[in-house]
Amino acid sequence: MTVSGPLAGVRVLDFSTTFSGPYCTHQLADLGAEVIKVESPGGDITRGLGTARSPGMASVYVASNRNKASLELDLKRPGSRELVRSLIERADCLVHNMRLGAARRLGLDPETALAVNPRLVHAAITGFGSDGPYAGRPAYDDTVQAASGLAWLQSLGGRDEAYMATAVADKVAGLAAAQAVIAALFWRERTGRGQAVEVPMYETVVAFTLMEQWGGRAFVPPLGPTGYARMRSAHRRPYRTADGLISVVVYHEGHWRRFLEFTGHADLLDEERFRTVEARNANIDELYALLARLLTRRTTADWLKIFDEIDVPAMPVRTLDEVLDDEHLRAVRFFQEVTHPEEGAFLAARHATRFSASPPAPPSEQAPPDRLGDGRDAVRRWLDDRPRAGREETW
């Protein structure tokens, strides 16, 4: 195992499960942090989700839990509580995504943890902000997609309401939590003090959803309803070509001018309804309907070549299996094999961000995902060190 990256030397104690918390600590581990994943008896539920060679090592678990040492603990037992206290004393960060009442009962609330280690960054991913009327409610990806307006947005253009076919709310919250942890660690480097960080899924996804959808409600008093016409157009979709599907974004004036000149419709941009970006946005359905009609006249390959020549963004519509065989991803070595001594080889995606001076180790050089409870060596290494909080050993 190679430990490198901008977070090398940072110790993270991870009590999270399912998607949002593990996705947060997955980012931190990829960037070099040493993560101990504390799992309740039986392990994280994601150990059983997806395809598996053997029980407890299913594809969903494997995808976001490499480079983490697994510790199986029953946190309701007094001995386990003492061990956790000793690990907290040596940690830089604690992450959980349980409800705050459950965290308090287990002694993982920020007040208790920061009393043990004042330099700790305590990060809690919650469903809803703790000072609002929804505080304490359970939250999952589907319910947050619904409550935040995401599911409703999928219904525009005559479609039925639908969830996005990926755990976008969980993963957005996980990314936000990783960002918050890194920011709090930076603040600690300046001040020497830890702090509690709360990342509510609902508020995080509402902000994510509204960025381009504020419309007239961005102003006080409102100048109109919410919405961004281009995003809501029924014609904003992959388009049919003569032999398949293509995604093309004819977006700014240069794109439209070059495309319309190529197809013999350049005079449209002289019309009042299409002359400015505001006018085009207000009448985007007409432009997209024209685009859809014109694209049926040539094959996907022909259009990709044309759009490349006139510098308009376009890509083929791929299946996930085709993505795994993509030539660009192969050239940048995005997918790599991770070999587990007992489980065999897994395919993993490397961290997408590039660092010129502190690059993270690639997946092939990181520790593979642990089987449940296999992280005892990492726990011993932590316990062999003096508490980072400057306290004497208590366990």
Side-chain angles (χ1 to χ4, degrees):
M1 173 179 134
T2 301
V3 178
S4 64
L7 294 183
V10 171
R11 286 178 169 175
V12 178
L13 201 51
D14 179 10
F15 293 89
S16 68
T17 185
T18 60
F19 288 3
S20 61
Y23 196 64
C24 165
T25 55
H26 172 60
Q27 307 304 311
L28 302 177
D30 263 9
L31 293 174
E34 183 179 358
V35 179
I36 291 180
K37 180 179 176 68
V38 182
E39 302 184 65
S40 59
D44 189 332
I45 190 174
T46 60
R47 286 185 175 275
L49 300 181
T51 306
R53 287 196 186 107
S54 59
M57 294 294 283
S59 55
V60 173
Y61 179 84
V62 165
S64 59
N65 286 284
R66 68 170 179 262
N67 229 26
K68 302 178 187 179
S70 171
L71 174 63
E72 186 179 18
L73 277 183
D74 182 353
L75 295 179
K76 296 176 182 177
R77 296 176 55 187
S80 295
R81 295 282 189 93
E82 289 301 315
L83 173 57
V84 166
R85 179 186 176 92
S86 291
L87 293 173
I88 289 174
E89 287 179 323
R90 291 158 173 79
D92 296 292
C93 174
L94 183 155
V95 176
H96 76 74
N97 61 348
M98 61 189 75
R99 285 189 269 180
L100 297 180
R104 191 169 293 109
R105 289 191 295 273
L106 295 172
L108 298 176
D109 56 286
E111 295 79 13
T112 301
L114 285 165
V116 172
N117 181 354
R119 287 177 51 83
L120 185 74
V121 172
H122 181 286
I125 303 173
T126 62
F128 307 92
S130 59
D131 53 353
Y134 298 165
R137 286 190 182 185
Y140 279 81
D141 189 273
D142 291 1
T143 57
V144 173
Q145 283 199 40
S148 66
L150 265 181
W152 176 79
L153 279 174
Q154 305 314 302
S155 73
L156 300 180
R159 300 180 295 268
D160 290 334
E161 288 79 0
Y163 303 124
M164 294 182 68
T166 183
V168 63
D170 276 321
K171 288 184 282 189
V172 166
L175 288 171
Q179 176 193 53
V181 164
I182 293 168
L185 287 171
F186 180 74
W187 188 80
R188 191 190 68 178
E189 290 305 301
R190 288 182 162 181
T191 66
R193 300 195 304 276
Q195 63 178 300
V197 175
E198 182 181 310
V199 182
M201 284 179 63
Y202 178 53
E203 289 94 312
T204 299
V205 177
V206 167
F208 173 84
T209 303
L210 279 175
M211 193 201 81
E212 80 288 358
Q213 296 286 350
W214 281 101
R217 293 293 300 275
F219 302 93
V220 181
L223 301 181
T226 59
Y228 175 29
R230 191 184 85 81
M231 292 289 180
R232 296 187 177 192
S233 172
H235 298 283
R236 179 182 173 258
R237 63 181 188 275
Y239 297 105
R240 290 283 170 191
T241 64
D243 65 347
L245 289 167
I246 191 171
S247 169
V248 57
V249 182
V250 190
Y251 189 62
H252 58 59
E253 183 176 352
H255 292 154
W256 281 113
R257 188 166 297 282
R258 293 192 293 273
F259 173 72
L260 293 172
E261 284 175 354
F262 177 84
T263 57
H265 295 80
D267 57 323
L268 284 177
L269 289 183
D270 296 327
E271 296 184 18
E272 192 67 30
R273 58 191 175 140
F274 301 132
R275 187 170 295 156
T276 66
V277 64
E278 294 83 5
R280 287 192 297 275
N281 188 51
N283 297 284
I284 197 66
D285 279 353
E286 293 179 65
L287 284 173
Y288 277 174
L290 173 64
L291 177 64
R293 289 195 302 273
L294 294 173
L295 289 174
T296 61
R297 299 177 181 178
R298 296 175 184 262
T299 66
T300 299
D302 286 343
W303 278 119
L304 288 171
K305 185 173 184 298
I306 290 164
F307 285 130
D308 188 49
E309 290 171 353
I310 65 175
D311 196 25
V312 169
M315 289 293 285
V317 178
R318 295 191 175 122
T319 67
L320 291 179
D321 287 303
E322 289 170 334
V323 170
L324 289 168
D325 296 322
D326 178 69
E327 62 177 350
H328 174 86
L329 296 176
R330 185 164 53 248
V332 300
R333 301 191 68 240
F334 189 67
F335 300 119
Q336 298 181 20
E337 282 192 7
V338 176
T339 302
H340 190 284
E342 289 87 20
E343 295 292 331
F346 298 102
L347 199 60
R350 67 165 173 79
H351 201 276
T353 306
R354 301 291 183 91
F355 293 81
S356 65
S358 58
S364 56
E365 297 176 16
Q366 295 182 9
D370 260 0
R371 293 189 302 180
L372 182 59
D374 273 0
R376 298 178 190 86
D377 288 345
V379 174
R380 292 190 189 99
R381 282 198 308 274
W382 282 33
L383 295 177
D384 285 343
D385 288 346
R386 289 184 60 80
R388 295 192 175 191
R391 298 171 58 91
E392 294 301 319
E393 178 60 76
T394 58
W395 181 79

